[in-house]
Amino acid sequence: MTMKPQACEQRVASIIPRPVHIVTGQGVFHLTAETIVRSNSAVSKEARWLQSDLSARCRVAPTRSREDSAANQRPHISLELAPETPLPAAGYCLDITPTVIKITAKDAAGVFYGTRTLLQLLPTTTDFESAEIPAMTITDHPRFAWRGMMIDSARHFIEVDHIKSFLDWMAFHKLNNLHWHLSDDQGWRIEIKKYPKLTEVGAYRESTPPYGDRKGSDHTRYGAFYTQQQIQEVVRYAAERHITVLPEIDMPGHMAAATAAYPYLGNSDLPDYAPKVQNHWGIHPYTLAPTEAVFEFVDDIFTEVCALFPSTYIHMGGDEAPKTQWEASPRVQALMQAKGLKDGHEVQSYFVKRVEKILASKGRKLIGWDEIREGGLSPQASVMSWRGEAGGIASAQEGHDVVMCPQSHMYFDYYQAPAAQELAKGAEFQAFENFLPLQQVYQYDPVPAQLSPQEATHILGVQANLWSEFIKDFKKMQYQAFPRIAALAEVAWSPAADKDYANFLERLEGILAHYQLAQINCGPIYTPAPQDETPAKS
């Protein structure tokens, strides 16, 4: 079918995240079943993925990828490493002419991201025998090294196939870190062979609050967990898409499921101590006890976790750890006296520093929520700043690396449109009370103005968090994540000086067509009326 010129122009515009530099060319490249995808061996995997994606999205089957000099005599797609290129790591050049599409980069990640841009240039229909790709040259590279999403399997379990689908869409948006929340008060989701009760007991709760009644009960037992084989499958699938999977085992708080499985891990010297897997959301009092037996448990846990996840960082949580049980525990009081710890915050700092040493012994780095600053931050720890930016700013000023994910702009479990408007559709549209429209996500800058240029180098990047209390299935997960994931991608990748929300919305039209083609359950794009107030920051 012949492409109308305006359709080509629309596809040039429909790239998210916005590339650093685009020069439009003349003519089109005709993608057909006769097209060859060729590469050298260093990026053969990227070539195979491109071939597979083109076949799936275009309903055409390009010739099997190969390195073949004869291919230069016919229209082809070429993927090449160019170590001498001045592009930064993960940057790429996508050069499209009527006879060849050439993607070059100094590393395989850059080549892969070039292929993701190419996919966004495809038509969003399936009724063609060939696709016409407009000629252009794109030179592009990411602003931040950390471009992440967090998913929560603890409150509601996410099937492996659904995680894989989500990874595909993260890759489509050039995101490269999946933070996987695997344990909490409401469920322990990762198999640990040395401690089988963590999943035999800790993976199951008696009931779950139904939509619309967060303090209620559905009176139905709920639970599931990932085997170590499934974990490895997800990690491998992500790595093929240049995504690092960051595991989170939340401690010392959010440990009701673990202490229900092994009560000695908690503050078992308290009267009427009876931990259980929690049936309701919120903050619960069950913390790990700072004993040597517990630190042996932590060491054992992270031995198995590190064997499954090759990530540089391991996330220990550290958030919302109530100090009440520690303050009432004779055992913890004795520890405080022996170690000169004056309050529960210093007990938490002592705990975090012990965990940091355990991870360092395994060649890994500790990262945690900004509460790990309480009582004094561990020397080499990195921080995820969620309670606003203050923890991230202070950490960067002290020389610690930081990932910004403030709830004011990066909590995708919040409503995308006003709560009343969403709940009018049904109780199943319940989300956390706060309101985070697409525009507010887009407007975020992960580098606070208070930081000097040197301090700003400690901002690793940005991440959005998708807590799952009100996300019971994958369709709801999509509804909360899309299209805000596109705004996140642009915040994380594109130059800050080039951000333009009106222009973003124009480009989003083409991306929404890709979502629609894939039957993504996309959430609303809320545009306030002129008299509406600016959404309050939470």
Side-chain angles (χ1 to χ4, degrees):
M1 59 183 290
T2 301
M3 177 166 301
K4 296 178 180 179
Q6 58 266 35
C8 285
E9 292 169 7
Q10 172 65 25
R11 294 220 309 278
V12 171
S14 298
I15 301 173
I16 293 177
R18 185 175 186 167
V20 173
H21 189 64
I22 301 178
V23 177
T24 56
Q26 296 292 321
V28 297
F29 178 92
H30 292 270
L31 175 68
T32 72
E34 300 300 316
T35 302
I36 288 177
V37 179
R38 62 182 297 270
S39 71
N40 54 33
S41 59
V43 287
S44 59
K45 287 192 300 183
E46 287 70 26
R48 286 196 299 271
W49 283 121
L50 177 60
Q51 178 199 359
S52 174
D53 288 333
L54 290 175
S55 298
R57 292 172 185 258
C58 303
R59 303 296 189 264
V60 297
T63 304
R64 189 173 181 175
S65 58
R66 63 191 182 189
E67 187 168 16
D68 183 354
S69 60
N72 287 321
Q73 307 305 314
R74 54 193 286 193
H76 63 280
I77 301 172
S78 174
L79 311 185
E80 297 180 9
L81 285 188
E84 73 286 351
T85 180
L87 285 168
Y92 66 90
C93 179
L94 170 61
D95 189 27
I96 303 171
T97 72
T99 57
V100 63
I101 295 177
K102 187 175 182 180
I103 300 173
T104 54
K106 70 168 48 177
D107 54 28
V111 169
F112 181 74
Y113 296 136
T115 68
R116 298 308 91 181
T117 296
L118 179 58
L119 292 182
Q120 292 191 8
L121 293 171
L122 297 179
T124 50
T125 60
T126 57
D127 60 344
F128 53 79
E129 295 180 359
S130 67
E132 297 179 349
I133 314 297
M136 70 186 77
T137 300
I138 296 176
T139 307
D140 199 12
H141 59 85
R143 181 183 178 195
F144 294 106
W146 190 298
R147 308 178 299 281
M149 278 290 310
M150 189 222 74
I151 59 173
D152 172 13
S153 288
R155 278 50 176 264
H156 284 101
F157 187 78
I158 307 169
E159 297 291 343
V160 168
D161 285 348
H162 292 157
I163 294 175
K164 288 180 176 180
S165 176
F166 197 72
L167 286 164
D168 287 337
W169 284 101
M170 285 182 62
F172 182 83
H173 293 89
K174 302 185 180 73
L175 302 178
N176 69 343
N177 277 275
L178 178 71
H179 173 176
W180 198 0
H181 188 76
L182 288 165
S183 69
D184 217 294
D185 293 310
Q186 297 81 17
W188 184 283
R189 304 289 176 225
I190 176 173
E191 177 189 23
I192 302 295
K193 294 185 182 296
K194 191 168 183 177
Y195 296 92
K197 288 185 180 180
L198 287 172
T199 47
E200 291 171 3
V201 175
Y204 298 90
R205 60 177 180 257
E206 295 172 358
S207 65
T208 301
Y211 284 130
D213 184 7
R214 65 181 299 165
K215 295 183 178 180
S217 171
D218 64 4
H219 307 290
T220 303
R221 189 169 186 258
Y222 181 93
F225 64 91
Y226 304 100
T227 66
Q228 293 199 358
Q229 183 178 0
Q230 288 175 315
I231 295 283
Q232 290 170 324
E233 182 182 346
V234 169
V235 170
R236 182 170 55 251
Y237 191 90
E240 289 170 342
R241 289 150 182 79
H242 296 276
I243 296 172
T244 298
V245 183
L246 170 73
E248 180 186 352
I249 307 297
D250 204 348
M251 60 180 71
H254 288 289
M255 271 287 174
T259 54
Y262 296 97
Y264 79 90
L265 297 173
N267 299 287
S268 55
D269 58 338
L270 296 175
D272 303 318
Y273 175 77
K276 71 171 190 174
V277 184
Q278 296 298 303
N279 303 324
H280 295 96
W281 320 132
I283 300 173
H284 299 278
Y286 296 99
T287 54
L288 295 181
T291 65
E292 293 308 311
V294 167
F295 291 121
E296 180 181 346
F297 165 82
V298 172
D299 195 315
D300 292 338
I301 292 293
F302 283 131
T303 294
E304 295 195 32
V305 167
C306 289
L308 295 169
F309 295 91
S311 56
T312 299
Y313 288 95
I314 302 293
H315 203 299
M316 67 155 289
D319 63 312
E320 298 176 332
K323 313 302 187 288
T324 52
Q325 289 191 349
W326 288 344
E327 291 167 353
S329 164
R331 187 168 54 194
V332 178
Q333 292 300 310
L335 173 74
M336 291 173 66
Q337 185 173 2
K339 300 291 185 182
L341 308 174
K342 65 183 180 182
D343 57 24
H345 293 302
E346 291 196 359
V347 174
Q348 169 139 331
S349 179
Y350 169 78
F351 193 100
V352 172
K353 289 173 182 176
R354 289 290 300 267
V355 175
E356 183 180 53
K357 289 180 181 178
I358 289 169
L359 290 175
S361 73
K362 304 177 193 308
R364 305 304 180 90
K365 295 181 179 180
L366 180 149
I367 191 167
W369 303 112
D370 55 66
E371 286 96 328
I372 67 172
R373 293 184 51 80
E374 295 173 356
L377 188 56
S378 299
Q380 304 302 319
S382 298
V383 169
M384 281 191 176
S385 190
W386 75 275
R387 298 179 301 173
E389 294 183 320
I393 291 169
S395 299
Q397 289 173 336
E398 295 165 5
H400 295 272
D401 289 339
V402 174
V403 176
M404 285 295 194
C405 52
Q407 58 186 334
S408 58
H409 293 79
M410 289 292 146
Y411 266 45
F412 286 6
D413 48 330
Y414 290 177
Y415 286 104
Q416 299 205 61
Q421 179 177 313
E422 288 295 278
L423 291 173
K425 303 174 186 176
E428 68 272 20
F429 287 86
Q430 182 184 17
F432 268 107
E433 290 84 356
N434 297 326
F435 174 34
L436 179 56
L438 181 69
Q439 183 173 4
Q440 193 161 320
V441 177
Y442 187 82
Q443 289 173 339
Y444 184 59
D445 188 337
V447 179
Q450 298 95 316
L451 297 181
S452 70
Q454 177 57 36
E455 292 165 347
T457 64
H458 290 290
I459 303 299
L460 299 178
V462 63
Q463 173 177 295
N465 298 332
L466 194 57
W467 300 104
S468 69
E469 286 91 336
F470 304 116
I471 299 176
K472 296 188 177 185
D473 56 42
F474 190 51
K475 283 296 183 183
K476 182 67 178 289
M477 182 176 170
Q478 292 177 338
Y479 189 83
Q480 293 297 126
F482 294 82
R484 289 185 289 200
I485 193 172
L488 166 68
E490 195 137 311
V491 169
W493 181 282
S494 303
D498 291 345
K499 287 173 66 177
D500 179 326
Y501 185 64
N503 178 269
F504 168 78
L505 288 179
E506 292 176 4
R507 287 178 286 117
L508 184 60
E509 286 299 315
I511 301 301
L512 291 173
H514 285 283
Y515 296 166
Q516 184 176 12
L517 186 66
Q519 298 182 319
I520 294 292
N521 186 35
C522 197
I525 299 175
Y526 178 73
T527 303
Q531 67 271 20
D532 286 356
E533 295 182 0
T534 301
K537 295 181 180 179
S538 57

